[in-house]
Amino acid sequence: MEKLIGNKNAGLLRLVEERSLTKKLEEGKKQWPEAQAPYLHKDCISNILVRLPLDSLQRSRFVCKPWYNIIKNPKFIDAHLHRSESVLIFLSPIPRDSLYPYSKASIPREKPNTVSVELKLLHPNPIPIFGHPLINSPMYSVQFLDFKNDKSEIGEYNLKCSGKIRATCNGLILLDNMVKKGGLAVMNPVTRKLIALPLGTLSHPRRESYGFILNDVTGEYKVVHLFRDELGFDSCEILSLWTQAWREVNGPPFRLLRWFGYAPVSAIGGLHWIPQVERSDYIVSMEVEKEKFHQIPLPKPSRTHDRILEMGGLLSFVIHEDVNHIDIWILKGLCGEVWTKNHSITVGSVIDMVPLFSLRIKGDIIFKREEDGSLYAYSFRDQEMRKVDMVNGCILRSYMPHVNTLVSWMEASQDMSDD
């Protein structure tokens, strides 16, 4: 009798334990219906995913719906942006024979999953391609140069286009829309999201400059078009990617900007131009919030191989003091701040080294020698200038600092409901 009661009690205990376990599993499935690890908190998953290489992160979106929602979240995208290192985005000419299936065997074939920017722009309203100016336009492969351990590696977007890249901002690129004369488009080459912009004022390419900047206060991306009109005055128009419309604003004073050859630098809440090639003793700056232009004195006149850069969110002025001496000055803000000398490079520098950009995470400055096009990286940590091993056959012609991200130009609420 006692044995029978003991067996019943043991059976009841097992039943209670099984029901308790089943209840926990059901609660876990409600929170993570498709996840393989139901008790792993989403913050833990987010912290793992944000550390993945970008190509792995892209594939991880399709593992399950919870992961997709994490990766699509604007907070995750912003966290990933702040962990992403700088690269150089550039255009590499595509031999025309490689675009055709029966071209010579010695010419590398185009990858089958390569996307054409122009075809994406034409997709909603296709037009006959034969006889269109695009058919005879040069074609470029959009690639990027990654810098790791004093070596460079070429990365592929499997993307091609016919136009120039005009500006970049947080992983977005502003490029020519060759489907429409004078047109522009904004694209994220990683996600391949693309939008055509309305036509602005048409101007001569040598008398205009484009900037691309984020308003940190509103989260709004703006395209700034600075150009010289027929009367010789410098005019400006701005397009918000939220409103998709150009607005005219007051440009800089007459002939304050004497040359449009230098691309503007985005830093400390504004866009900044060096106004001429030689002996500039000031820069021209536009506040993104107030949309007003200012003249900011430089600590010393700039010369041919000197540049302004964004470094750690601040604006820097990299100037050659003499043949083997480079000084770096820093400006922390636009409101009453002054330039302060931050660092001096006294080893390994040469007079024809042009500073290109600063690595966001590592902090190194990348230089390019005009003599032979070779690249060098200056390490602040080691205070050493090192030559970068270049990929064979890599010739940099049209390039800009860039960062590979999942960033979108849309408002967060719109972007979350887009898919």
Side-chain angles (χ1 to χ4, degrees), residues 167-226:
T168 68
C169 182
N170 287 351
L172 304 176
I173 59 174
L174 176 72
L175 68 163
D176 292 329
N177 177 357
M178 300 299 287
V179 175
K180 185 183 295 185
K181 183 180 178 180
L184 297 167
V186 169
M187 186 178 199
N188 184 321
V190 173
T191 64
R192 294 181 176 177
K193 285 187 176 181
L194 174 70
I195 185 172
L197 303 183
L199 279 176
T201 302
L202 298 181
S203 183
H204 192 282
R206 293 184 180 179
R207 297 175 183 169
E208 66 179 355
S209 177
Y210 283 97
F212 197 7
I213 189 169
L214 170 68
N215 185 336
D216 290 323
V217 177
T218 63
E220 177 184 21
Y221 284 93
K222 294 182 179 182
V223 176
V224 177
H225 182 206
L226 194 59

Side-chain angles (χ1 to χ4, degrees), residues 27-212:
E27 289 175 353
K29 287 180 180 179
K30 288 179 181 178
Q31 291 182 341
W32 301 91
E34 300 176 35
Q36 297 297 320
Y39 299 116
L40 191 59
H41 195 275
K42 64 179 181 179
D43 288 345
C44 296
I45 296 176
S46 178
N47 287 333
I48 295 171
L49 292 175
V50 79
R51 288 166 168 79
L52 291 179
L54 196 56
D55 54 348
S56 300
L57 185 60
Q58 284 282 76
R59 292 193 295 269
S60 298
R61 293 184 303 161
F62 306 107
V63 170
C64 60
K65 190 172 182 179
W67 284 24
Y68 175 84
N69 289 334
I70 289 173
I71 296 171
K72 185 180 172 62
N73 189 287
K75 291 183 178 179
F76 178 90
I77 293 173
D78 187 62
H80 179 267
L81 166 64
H82 286 88
R83 292 182 61 90
S84 300
E85 186 58 278
S86 307
V87 298
L88 272 183
I89 192 169
F90 68 98
L91 301 178
S92 178
I94 301 176
R96 294 200 62 81
D97 290 344
S98 70
L99 302 175
Y100 303 102
Y102 302 107
S103 57
K104 297 177 182 179
S106 60
I107 299 176
R109 300 294 187 272
E110 181 182 278
K111 294 184 179 180
N113 59 342
T114 298
V115 171
S116 166
V117 171
E118 284 72 31
L119 289 181
K120 281 181 71 71
L121 289 167
L122 285 169
H123 176 65
N125 301 296
I127 61 175
I129 194 69
F130 295 103
H132 192 274
L134 281 174
I135 197 70
N136 295 316
S137 298
M139 193 66 68
Y140 303 95
S141 172
V142 185
Q143 301 174 322
F144 63 92
L145 202 62
D146 199 4
F147 297 87
K148 294 179 180 177
N149 301 321
D150 303 327
K151 295 182 179 180
S152 64
E153 297 177 1
I154 293 180
E156 297 281 353
Y157 296 111
N158 293 335
L159 190 68
K160 64 180 181 180
C161 67
S162 293
K164 287 177 58 180
I165 297 175
R166 298 284 187 161
T168 68
C169 182
N170 287 351
L172 304 176
I173 59 174
L174 176 72
L175 68 163
D176 292 329
N177 177 357
M178 300 299 287
V179 175
K180 185 183 295 185
K181 183 180 178 180
L184 297 167
V186 169
M187 186 178 199
N188 184 321
V190 173
T191 64
R192 294 181 176 177
K193 285 187 176 181
L194 174 70
I195 185 172
L197 303 183
L199 279 176
T201 302
L202 298 181
S203 183
H204 192 282
R206 293 184 180 179
R207 297 175 183 169
E208 66 179 355
S209 177
Y210 283 97
F212 197 7

Side-chain angles (χ1 to χ4, degrees), residues 363-379:
D364 293 1
I365 295 181
I366 305 299
F367 291 84
K368 181 183 179 183
R369 286 203 62 184
E370 281 199 343
E371 181 183 67
D372 57 6
S374 57
L375 299 182
Y376 289 78
Y378 179 76
S379 169

Side-chain angles (χ1 to χ4, degrees), residues 85-88 145 147 309-311 354-360 364-367 400-402:
E85 186 58 278
S86 307
V87 298
L88 272 183
L145 202 62
F147 297 87
L309 306 175
E310 184 272 336
M311 285 181 55
V354 177
L356 300 184
F357 70 108
S358 171
L359 297 180
R360 291 162 50 96
D364 293 1
I365 295 181
I366 305 299
F367 291 84
M400 284 191 172
H402 183 65

Side-chain angles (χ1 to χ4, degrees), residues 251-268:
F254 182 72
R255 292 301 172 101
L256 191 65
L257 191 67
R258 301 179 184 179
W259 189 61
F260 291 88
Y262 289 136
V265 173
S266 175
I268 58 175

